[in-house]
Amino acid sequence: MKKGLFSLASLLLIGNLTMAQKVEFEEYDLDNGMHVILHQDNSAPVVTTSVMYHVGAKDENPDRTGFAHFFEHLLFEGTENIERGEFFKLVSSNGGKNNANTTDDRTYYYEVFPSNQVELGLWLESERLMHPVINQIGVDTQNEVVKEEKRMRVDNSPYGKFLENVKVNLFKKHPYRWTTIGEMEHLDAATLEEFQAFNAKFYVPNNAVLVVAGDFNKADVKKMIQDYFGPIPRGNDIVRNFPKEDPITETIRAKAYDPNIQIPAIIAAYRTPSFKDRDAYILDMISTYLSGGKSSKLYKKIVDEKKMALQVGAMNFSQEDYGSYILFGLPMGEVTLDAIVKEIDEEIVDLQTNLISERDHQKLLNQFENQFVNSNSSVEGIANSLARYYMLYGDTNLINNEIDIYRSITREEIQAVAKKYLNPNQRLLLEYLPEEKSNN
């Protein structure tokens, strides 16, 4: 009966997939080098305008970390034609919403408006690019905002420095070794001229992709784009030549301390290739196999059956230049960190030694098919995907055919990639511990 239900679920999922429409888009370049992607969908009166800049934490000076994330905030301060503090008011008063986010690789700004406000969205983004006001008042204001964000999300959050400690131990040369939010003393020490120079270098049209997705008239929007973005001068070409990491050939052992936790964690992290590499897609599948839900291998064995851990997980933290494959566990009661590692390693060795079952393989394919359908279910999500695939992968049409990569992954490849990357001599073993209290 279970097999019949499983087959029925597979057929229903395939049926849903065939109904998922191909994302049609048009892309072209302005004379100043800005890339433009248009996705017209007139099914609902909503439009997303967005700009992704190819600038992230990895583009910072090691002594000035946090600049990229700081600009995510700073460029909402105002422009020559938008008074300070008015950016968000203009959006909300016209029925829209907006936000921005930063990673080590890129910064993304977007607005979602009723479709009759598409021109406002384009004007706002052109103002951010062409006429930003970067002055000491704005820098001082956002400095306090970023500090509060760091206190809330990192310094005072349980396990808030989890990724920070993985990165600093896993990367020794590449700028992925520091955090996206950066060091506050670096921001405090920075001069206004340094902020202005960062803007002049990276916030240029030839380092950006503009996406308009949703309900709009293509001819009208093309004219608006030319009018608002065409006159912006091209910037200097950005040359990146980041140092390469040496291979990890023996276990890196480290400890980190967190005053906000009572339960320790053990983390095993492996340096892996760029998310553009086929192996990264396979590692995505391995993560889902190991910890994608309560029926996954690690959760079922270590949490559910043996009751050795409160939580276990596996995640493939993929980035443009390298990835970090992270396994972790929080022990239950008197269970040791070493015991958790032993259990996790047994599952990895099994993955390296034996092919996963055909049933598990099909289950993985179904899960990724479902994710694919959901990722293209809104114009807001489509806009983000179009920008990301163009900017970071160099192939906009991955929005339609990336799922074919997952579909083509075999059980043999899953075994081979586990053998290639997930070995004890190629990893960081990090004990993440409650901070020891002083007796003084």
Side-chain angles (χ1 to χ4, degrees):
M1 183 62 182
K2 286 184 178 179
K3 185 175 182 181
L5 288 173
F6 185 78
S7 300
L8 177 61
S10 300
L11 287 171
L12 288 172
L13 185 60
I14 291 168
N16 287 335
L17 187 66
T18 59
M19 291 187 291
Q21 294 184 354
K22 178 181 179 182
V23 176
E24 301 287 350
F25 60 88
E26 178 182 349
E27 55 186 334
Y28 61 96
D29 290 319
L30 300 181
D31 290 342
N32 57 17
M34 176 171 251
H35 195 70
V36 178
I37 305 175
L38 305 178
H39 165 67
Q40 189 174 4
D41 178 356
N42 303 117
S43 61
V46 177
V47 66
T48 296
T49 54
S50 66
V51 179
M52 183 176 286
Y53 294 90
H54 201 177
V55 56
K58 71 181 181 186
D59 294 298
E60 298 160 350
N61 182 316
D63 297 321
R64 290 293 183 267
T65 62
F67 263 47
H69 172 257
F70 192 83
F71 266 81
E72 175 199 319
H73 292 263
L74 186 62
L75 291 184
F76 282 105
E77 272 288 303
T79 75
E80 292 176 14
N81 297 303
I82 302 173
E83 290 187 16
R84 184 169 176 266
E86 292 296 310
F87 205 106
F88 288 101
K89 293 179 184 178
L90 275 169
V91 174
S92 60
S93 64
N94 285 280
K97 65 176 184 177
N98 66 321
N99 213 329
N101 50 71
T102 311
T103 71
D104 290 345
D105 298 313
R106 93 296 180 274
T107 307
Y108 184 64
Y109 302 85
Y110 67 94
E111 298 80 31
V112 181
F113 276 115
S115 53
N116 61 357
Q117 295 295 342
V118 62
E119 185 167 8
L120 176 58
L122 291 169
W123 177 71
L124 288 169
E125 288 303 333
S126 70
E127 277 293 301
R128 193 198 309 276
L129 179 55
M130 193 174 190
H131 298 127
V133 172
I134 299 173
N135 57 27
Q136 198 61 51
I137 295 173
V139 167
D140 292 343
T141 301
Q142 295 308 320
N143 190 299
E144 290 305 313
V145 172
V146 171
K147 284 180 179 176
E148 180 58 29
E149 181 180 343
K150 185 173 186 292
R151 282 191 287 267
M152 181 177 68
R153 294 187 178 182
V154 179
D155 297 340
N156 299 325
S157 176
Y159 307 97
K161 296 188 177 183
F162 179 112
L163 187 57
E164 173 183 339
N165 282 283
V166 169
K167 292 173 68 173
V168 75
N169 285 288
L170 209 54
F171 296 98
K172 301 301 180 184
K173 298 179 179 180
H174 191 279
Y176 284 162
R177 66 185 184 273
W178 57 77
T179 64
T180 308
I181 202 164
E183 298 298 328
M184 295 305 99
E185 55 265 33
H186 292 174
L187 296 176
D188 289 341
T191 65
L192 179 61
E193 290 73 23
E194 286 177 302
F195 287 112
Q196 291 169 337
F198 190 87
N199 181 78
K201 180 176 181 179
F202 293 106
Y203 280 83
V204 292
N206 46 303
N207 196 44
V209 54
L210 166 68
V211 179
V212 184
D215 181 28
F216 60 88
N217 179 283
K218 193 176 286 188
D220 291 345
V221 161
K222 282 185 174 181
K223 185 179 186 306
M224 294 174 196
I225 290 171
Q226 183 58 44
D227 290 344
Y228 289 123
F229 292 91
I232 302 174
R234 182 185 180 93
N236 294 327
D237 291 339
I238 296 167
V239 178
R240 293 178 174 86
N241 187 23
F242 299 124
K244 300 288 190 287
E245 290 287 340
D246 297 323
I248 298 172
T249 56
E250 58 182 36
T251 302
I252 302 167
R253 296 185 181 275
K255 294 182 180 181
Y257 297 92
D258 188 334
N260 303 302
I261 66 171
Q262 295 179 321
I263 299 170
I266 187 67
I267 302 161
Y270 309 77
R271 196 189 308 134
T272 53
S274 161
F275 51 39
K276 292 178 281 190
D277 193 294
R278 181 177 175 85
D279 285 354
Y281 290 96
I282 300 170
L283 287 162
D284 283 342
M285 277 199 160
I286 292 174
S287 292
T288 302
Y289 175 79
L290 290 174
S291 71
K294 292 188 176 181
S295 64
S296 61
K297 298 302 176 183
L298 290 180
Y299 188 95
K300 187 174 181 181
K301 173 187 176 185
I302 303 174
V303 177
D304 193 16
E305 294 177 359
K306 294 195 173 184
K307 295 180 171 47
M308 294 177 64
L310 293 168
Q311 186 177 354
V312 291
M315 57 180 175
N316 185 28
F317 185 64
S318 290
Q319 297 178 274
E320 187 177 18
D321 299 335
Y322 289 100
S324 304
Y325 192 87
I326 301 171
L327 294 151
F328 66 92
L330 278 66
M332 178 85 80
E334 299 300 314
V335 175
T336 66
L337 297 180
D338 286 343
I340 298 293
V341 172
K342 181 176 180 293
E343 295 294 332
I344 291 174
D345 282 349
E346 283 180 4
E347 288 302 313
I348 298 297
V349 170
D350 183 61
L351 197 58
Q352 294 169 330
T353 307
N354 304 299
L355 294 178
I356 67 172
S357 70
E358 291 184 4
R359 178 187 175 88
D360 283 335
H361 186 233
Q362 186 59 54
K363 180 182 174 183
L364 285 173
L365 293 176
N366 292 347
Q367 289 173 299
F368 280 89
E369 299 269 13
N370 190 47
Q371 289 175 24
F372 168 72
V373 172
N374 291 336
S375 67
N376 291 346
S377 62
S378 71
V379 292
E380 187 178 336
I382 287 171
N384 186 310
S385 294
L386 287 169
R388 177 167 50 89
Y389 286 129
Y390 167 77
M391 178 69 74
L392 302 180
Y393 290 75
D395 182 1
T396 314
N397 201 45
L398 279 171
I399 196 169
N400 291 311
N401 60 29
E402 187 179 55
I403 188 60
D404 294 331
I405 299 173
Y406 288 111
R407 287 178 185 145
S408 69
I409 292 171
T410 66
R411 296 186 297 152
E412 288 78 11
E413 285 183 292
I414 290 172
Q415 182 185 40
V417 165
K419 285 182 180 179
K420 184 175 181 180
Y421 297 105
L422 305 183
N423 299 301
N425 66 320
Q426 295 171 268
R427 73 182 176 190
L428 161 69
L429 210 55
L430 174 68
E431 295 180 32
Y432 195 91
L433 307 168
E435 188 168 64
E436 299 170 343
K437 302 297 182 182
S438 172
N439 293 325
N440 296 332

Coordinates of all heavy atoms in Angstrom, one line a residue, residues 55-60 64-73 101-104 106-107 109 180 187 198 203:
V55 N 28.3 43.0 -6.0 CA 29.2 43.4 -4.9 C 28.7 42.8 -3.6 O 27.5 42.9 -3.3 CB 29.3 45.0 -4.8 CG1 27.9 45.6 -4.6 CG2 30.2 45.4 -3.7
G56 N 29.6 42.2 -2.9 CA 29.3 41.6 -1.7 C 30.5 41.7 -0.7 O 31.4 42.4 -1.0
A57 N 30.4 41.0 0.4 CA 31.4 41.1 1.4 C 32.8 40.7 0.9 O 33.8 41.2 1.4 CB 31.0 40.2 2.6
K58 N 32.9 39.8 0.0 CA 34.2 39.4 -0.5 C 34.9 40.5 -1.3 O 36.1 40.4 -1.5 CB 34.0 38.2 -1.5 CG 33.4 38.5 -2.8 CD 33.3 37.2 -3.6 CE 32.7 37.5 -5.0 NZ 32.4 36.3 -5.8
D59 N 34.2 41.6 -1.6 CA 34.8 42.7 -2.4 C 35.4 43.8 -1.4 O 35.9 44.8 -1.9 CB 33.8 43.4 -3.3 CG 33.3 42.4 -4.4 OD1 34.2 42.0 -5.2 OD2 32.1 42.1 -4.4
E60 N 35.4 43.5 -0.2 CA 35.8 44.5 0.8 C 37.3 44.4 1.1 O 37.9 43.4 0.9 CB 35.0 44.3 2.1 CG 33.5 44.5 2.0 CD 32.7 43.9 3.1 OE1 33.3 43.1 3.9 OE2 31.5 44.1 3.1
R64 N 38.3 46.8 6.3 CA 37.0 47.5 6.2 C 35.8 46.6 5.9 O 35.1 46.8 5.0 CB 37.1 48.6 5.1 CG 38.1 49.8 5.5 CD 37.5 50.6 6.6 NE 38.4 51.7 6.9 CZ 39.4 51.7 7.9 NH1 39.6 50.6 8.5 NH2 40.1 52.8 8.1
T65 N 35.8 45.5 6.7 CA 34.7 44.5 6.5 C 33.4 45.2 6.8 O 33.3 46.0 7.7 CB 34.9 43.3 7.2 OG1 34.9 43.5 8.6 CG2 36.3 42.6 6.8
G66 N 32.3 44.7 6.2 CA 31.0 45.1 6.5 C 30.5 46.2 5.6 O 29.3 46.7 5.6
F67 N 31.3 46.7 4.6 CA 30.9 47.8 3.7 C 29.7 47.4 2.8 O 28.8 48.2 2.7 CB 32.1 48.2 2.9 CG 32.9 49.4 3.4 CD1 33.3 49.4 4.7 CD2 33.3 50.4 2.6 CE1 34.0 50.5 5.2 CE2 34.0 51.5 3.0 CZ 34.3 51.6 4.4
A68 N 29.8 46.2 2.2 CA 28.7 45.9 1.3 C 27.3 45.8 2.0 O 26.4 46.4 1.5 CB 29.0 44.5 0.7
H69 N 27.3 45.2 3.2 CA 26.1 45.2 4.0 C 25.7 46.6 4.4 O 24.5 46.9 4.5 CB 26.2 44.2 5.2 CG 25.1 44.3 6.1 ND1 25.1 45.0 7.3 CD2 23.8 43.8 6.0 CE1 24.0 44.9 7.9 NE2 23.2 44.2 7.2
F70 N 26.7 47.4 4.8 CA 26.4 48.7 5.2 C 25.7 49.5 4.1 O 24.8 50.3 4.4 CB 27.7 49.4 5.6 CG 27.5 50.7 6.3 CD1 27.3 50.8 7.7 CD2 27.6 51.9 5.7 CE1 27.1 52.0 8.4 CE2 27.4 53.1 6.3 CZ 27.2 53.1 7.7
F71 N 26.1 49.3 2.9 CA 25.5 50.0 1.8 C 24.1 49.6 1.5 O 23.3 50.3 1.0 CB 26.4 49.9 0.5 CG 27.3 51.0 0.3 CD1 28.5 51.1 1.0 CD2 27.0 52.1 -0.5 CE1 29.4 52.1 0.9 CE2 27.9 53.2 -0.6 CZ 29.1 53.2 0.1
E72 N 23.8 48.3 1.8 CA 22.4 47.9 1.7 C 21.5 48.8 2.5 O 20.3 49.1 2.1 CB 22.3 46.5 2.3 CG 20.9 45.9 2.3 CD 20.8 44.7 3.3 OE1 21.7 43.9 3.3 OE2 19.8 44.7 4.0
H73 N 22.0 49.3 3.7 CA 21.2 50.3 4.5 C 21.4 51.7 4.0 O 20.5 52.5 3.9 CB 21.7 50.2 5.9 CG 21.3 48.9 6.6 ND1 20.2 48.7 7.4 CD2 22.0 47.7 6.6 CE1 20.2 47.5 7.9 NE2 21.2 46.8 7.4
N101 N 18.9 42.9 0.5 CA 19.7 41.9 1.2 C 21.0 41.8 0.6 O 21.2 42.1 -0.6 CB 18.9 40.6 1.3 CG 18.5 40.1 0.0 OD1 19.3 39.7 -0.9 ND2 17.1 40.1 -0.2
T102 N 22.0 41.3 1.4 CA 23.4 41.2 1.0 C 23.9 39.9 1.3 O 23.6 39.3 2.3 CB 24.2 42.3 1.7 OG1 23.6 43.6 1.7 CG2 25.6 42.4 1.2
T103 N 24.8 39.4 0.4 CA 25.5 38.1 0.7 C 27.0 38.5 0.5 O 27.4 39.6 0.2 CB 25.1 37.0 -0.2 OG1 25.6 37.3 -1.6 CG2 23.6 36.8 -0.2
D104 N 27.8 37.4 0.6 CA 29.3 37.6 0.3 C 29.5 37.9 -1.2 O 30.6 38.4 -1.6 CB 30.0 36.3 0.6 CG 30.1 36.1 2.1 OD1 29.8 37.0 2.9 OD2 30.5 35.0 2.5
R106 N 26.8 39.3 -3.6 CA 26.0 40.3 -4.3 C 25.1 41.1 -3.4 O 24.9 40.6 -2.2 CB 25.1 39.6 -5.4 CG 23.7 39.2 -5.1 CD 23.6 38.1 -4.0 NE 22.3 37.7 -3.7 CZ 21.5 38.3 -2.9 NH1 21.9 39.4 -2.2 NH2 20.3 37.9 -2.6
T107 N 24.5 42.2 -3.8 CA 23.6 43.0 -3.1 C 22.3 43.2 -3.9 O 22.5 43.5 -5.1 CB 24.1 44.3 -2.7 OG1 25.4 44.1 -2.0 CG2 23.2 45.1 -1.7
Y109 N 18.3 44.8 -4.3 CA 17.3 45.8 -3.9 C 16.0 45.5 -4.8 O 16.1 45.2 -6.0 CB 17.7 47.2 -4.2 CG 19.0 47.6 -3.5 CD1 20.2 47.4 -4.1 CD2 19.0 48.3 -2.3 CE1 21.4 47.7 -3.4 CE2 20.1 48.7 -1.6 CZ 21.4 48.4 -2.2 OH 22.5 48.8 -1.6
T180 N 29.6 38.6 6.5 CA 28.9 39.6 5.7 C 28.6 40.9 6.5 O 28.7 42.0 6.0 CB 27.6 39.1 5.2 OG1 27.8 37.8 4.5 CG2 26.9 40.0 4.2
L187 N 33.9 49.7 10.6 CA 32.9 50.7 10.1 C 33.2 52.0 10.9 O 33.1 53.1 10.3 CB 31.5 50.2 10.3 CG 31.1 49.0 9.5 CD1 29.6 48.6 9.8 CD2 31.2 49.3 8.0
F198 N 33.8 53.5 -2.3 CA 33.2 52.1 -2.4 C 32.0 52.3 -3.4 O 31.8 51.4 -4.3 CB 32.8 51.6 -1.1 CG 32.4 50.1 -1.1 CD1 33.3 49.1 -0.9 CD2 31.0 49.8 -1.2 CE1 32.9 47.8 -0.9 CE2 30.6 48.5 -1.2 CZ 31.6 47.5 -1.0
Y203 N 28.9 50.6 -7.4 CA 27.5 51.0 -7.8 C 27.5 51.7 -9.1 O 27.3 52.9 -9.2 CB 26.9 51.7 -6.6 CG 26.4 50.8 -5.5 CD1 27.3 50.4 -4.6 CD2 25.1 50.4 -5.5 CE1 26.8 49.5 -3.6 CE2 24.6 49.5 -4.5 CZ 25.5 49.0 -3.6 OH 25.1 48.2 -2.6

